[in-house]
Amino acid sequence: MSFSSLLGQDKTAQRLRAMIESGRVPPALIFHGPPGVGKFLAALEFAKALNCSHTEHRETRPAPPPPDPDDLFAAAAPPPPPGPELPPLKVHADKSDSCGVCLSCRQATSGAHPDIRVIDTETQAAFLKEEETSNLKIEIMREMTRWTQQKSMLSPWKVFIVRDAEAMLGNAQNAILKTLEEPPPGTTVIMTISRKTALLSTILSRSCIIDFAPLPKAALKAILEAQGTDPAQAAALAALGVGSLEKAGEAAAFLKRISALRPGDPARAFKFASGLPRDSHKARDEVKTLLDLVLAKTRLAWRGAEGPAKARYTALLRRTLDLRRMADRNVSYMLLLETALLESERAGVKLEDLVRPD
Ligand SMILES: [Zn+2]
C-alpha cells in the first residue's frame, strides 16, 4: 500500500506528497473532513512515506541451532544447501511515497512501527487497562507528550496520529497543546477530525489544516468493490453513501434491517428503531444519517408534487428539520427515530424509499 491506496483524494494526496518531498513537515497537522473519506488511511500513508528509507531490506536467514552436547546420537546437521540467488527487490525511488519493502515500511504496514503511534480510544483502553470509553483522557495525552520527548527508535520521524481528535476533552486538549507549542524536532502530530470547531482555537492556530472532501461516487464504488461488495450493491451503496465510506456502511446495515421486516407490518417503524446501536454516539450518528435520508427523499418528492401533496411534503420537511436539530441534543434517539419514521410514512415516504438509490 502507498498513497495509491488513497482513492478519491488526489489533490490532498498531492499536497501531502509535496510536503514529504520538500522535507518541510509541520509539527502539527489537522486532517479535516467528513467521516469515512480516508483521513486516517491518509495519516498512516503519510507516516509511512515520511519514514520510508527507500532501501532494500531482507530478512536474514536464522543460523542453524548449535548441536545439543547432551545428545550423543545427534548427527551433525549438514550445512544448508546454498539457496538460489534472489533477484534484487524493486525499490522505487519516488521520495514522496513509500516503497513498501524497506524495514520501516514493513513495520508500518504491520502496525508495529516503533516511531508511528496511533492514539485513539482503543489504544487508550489498552494503555489504561480499562473499558473503552468515547473520550480521550488527559492521562493518554500526557503519555503522548512523554513519548514525543523520547528519541526515535528506527526512523527519522516520530509520528503521532490522534484519531477522531474531537474525542479529546478540554483538559486533554490542553495537555496536547504543550507538545504543539514546543514540538521536539523530528516529531509531527496528525489529528484526524470531522468537526474542527471541537478543537481549541489555540490548537487550530498552531496546526496546518488539510481538508478532505467527500469521496466521488466512482471512488466510493471502487473502494466498496475492493472490499468484496458485488458491483450492483456497491453502486447502490455508493449512491446512498453521499461521499462517505462510513455512511455507505450504515446504508448497507439499514438495507439489511429493512429486508428483515415484513412489508405492510404496522409496527415496522418501531421494529426498525429498536435495532439502533446501544452506544449513544453511534445511535446518534445513525439517526442523523436516517434523518438526512428522509430529508433527501422528501425534497425529491416535494419537487415533483403539486397541491395537497406538496403541502404534505413541506410539512414533513419542516418537521424532519426540527427533529434533525433535536438529534444534536441529549434526547432518546429511539423515540426520535420512531417519530420521524411514522411521520414520513404517513406523508408517503416509506422506509424502503429511504434506501432506494434515486
Ligand atoms: Zn519504504
Side-chain angles (χ1 to χ4, degrees):
M1 300 289 253
S2 63
F3 274 116
S4 62
S5 66
L6 186 67
L7 297 180
Q9 297 291 359
D10 299 352
K11 267 195 188 153
T12 310
Q14 264 173 22
R15 194 172 164 201
L16 294 174
R17 292 177 69 157
M19 226 176 240
I20 293 167
E21 204 158 20
S22 70
R24 285 195 297 271
V25 177
L29 286 152
I30 291 175
F31 286 8
H32 173 249
V37 297
K39 302 186 296 291
F40 182 63
L41 176 65
L44 290 175
E45 291 302 343
F46 183 81
K48 195 164 132 191
L50 192 59
N51 274 334
C52 175
S53 67
H54 298 275
T55 50
E56 186 185 326
H57 169 73
R58 279 192 201 286
E59 298 294 334
T60 46
R61 198 184 289 244
D68 184 352
D70 294 334
D71 187 352
L72 296 173
F73 302 103
E85 200 57 32
L86 292 168
L89 290 173
K90 237 180 154 182
V91 180
H92 75 79
D94 183 350
K95 297 288 179 207
S96 72
D97 204 351
S98 54
C99 72
V101 294
C102 71
L103 181 61
S104 172
C105 280
R106 282 166 191 242
Q107 296 221 358
T109 305
S110 67
H113 198 298
D115 303 317
I116 301 173
R117 292 190 189 227
V118 175
I119 319 285
D120 60 11
T121 50
E122 201 183 320
T123 51
Q124 172 177 264
F127 178 75
L128 298 175
K129 297 189 179 65
E130 59 179 36
E131 290 278 297
E132 190 172 350
T133 55
S134 56
N135 290 314
L136 286 169
K137 299 177 179 176
I138 189 166
E139 290 87 347
I140 191 76
M141 303 326 291
R142 279 197 185 131
E143 192 59 23
M144 193 194 95
T145 307
R146 204 177 60 77
W147 287 332
T148 60
Q149 254 117 54
Q150 292 170 352
K151 278 208 169 99
S152 65
M153 288 192 239
L154 172 72
S155 298
W157 283 89
K158 281 182 296 171
V159 186
F160 297 88
I161 302 169
V162 184
R163 189 176 192 177
D164 299 329
E166 52 265 81
M168 287 190 288
L169 295 177
N171 55 3
Q173 290 196 30
N174 279 318
I176 200 178
L177 198 54
K178 194 173 174 291
T179 307
L180 306 184
E181 279 166 347
E182 296 159 31
T187 303
T188 185
V189 178
I190 304 173
M191 289 161 273
T192 70
I193 196 159
S194 51
R195 278 183 307 116
K196 65 182 174 196
T197 47
L199 291 176
L200 294 173
S201 58
T202 36
I203 292 184
L204 290 171
S205 65
R206 280 177 175 81
S207 308
C208 169
I209 298 172
I210 309 274
D211 284 309
F212 284 70
L215 294 169
K217 213 181 270 183
L220 188 49
K221 180 172 179 284
I223 296 168
L224 288 163
E225 283 185 33
Q227 291 180 346
T229 311
D230 76 73
Q233 172 91 339
L237 294 178
L240 292 167
V242 287
S244 160
L245 190 58
E246 200 173 293
K247 297 260 177 235
E250 282 173 4
F254 297 155
L255 279 173
K256 208 170 157 197
R257 268 158 59 194
I258 290 172
S259 66
L261 297 172
R262 193 166 47 81
D265 181 349
R268 287 181 332 141
F270 299 104
K271 286 183 181 165
F272 185 82
S274 69
L276 274 180
R278 281 172 184 273
D279 179 285
S280 70
H281 286 79
K282 284 186 189 147
R284 185 187 58 198
D285 288 350
E286 209 168 275
V287 166
K288 280 178 160 181
T289 304
L290 275 158
L291 291 175
D292 287 343
L293 285 172
V294 173
L295 285 170
K297 295 293 166 179
T298 311
R299 280 194 194 104
L300 206 66
W302 180 85
R303 260 183 242 135
E306 283 177 350
K310 193 140 192 146
R312 212 170 56 234
Y313 290 133
T314 307
L316 179 60
L317 277 173
R318 285 213 182 100
R319 181 75 179 125
T320 312
L321 280 168
D322 280 345
L323 294 171
R324 179 74 172 71
R325 275 189 284 271
M326 281 167 72
D328 277 321
R329 293 180 219 142
N330 204 7
V331 290
S332 159
Y333 300 116
M334 201 189 286
L335 189 64
L336 204 142
L337 183 58
E338 283 167 7
T339 311
L341 294 179
L342 285 174
E343 292 192 11
S344 63
E345 290 236 343
R346 212 174 293 143
V349 180
K350 302 269 174 249
L351 198 49
E352 292 79 7
D353 298 339
L354 301 182
V355 285
R356 191 173 296 135
D358 302 327

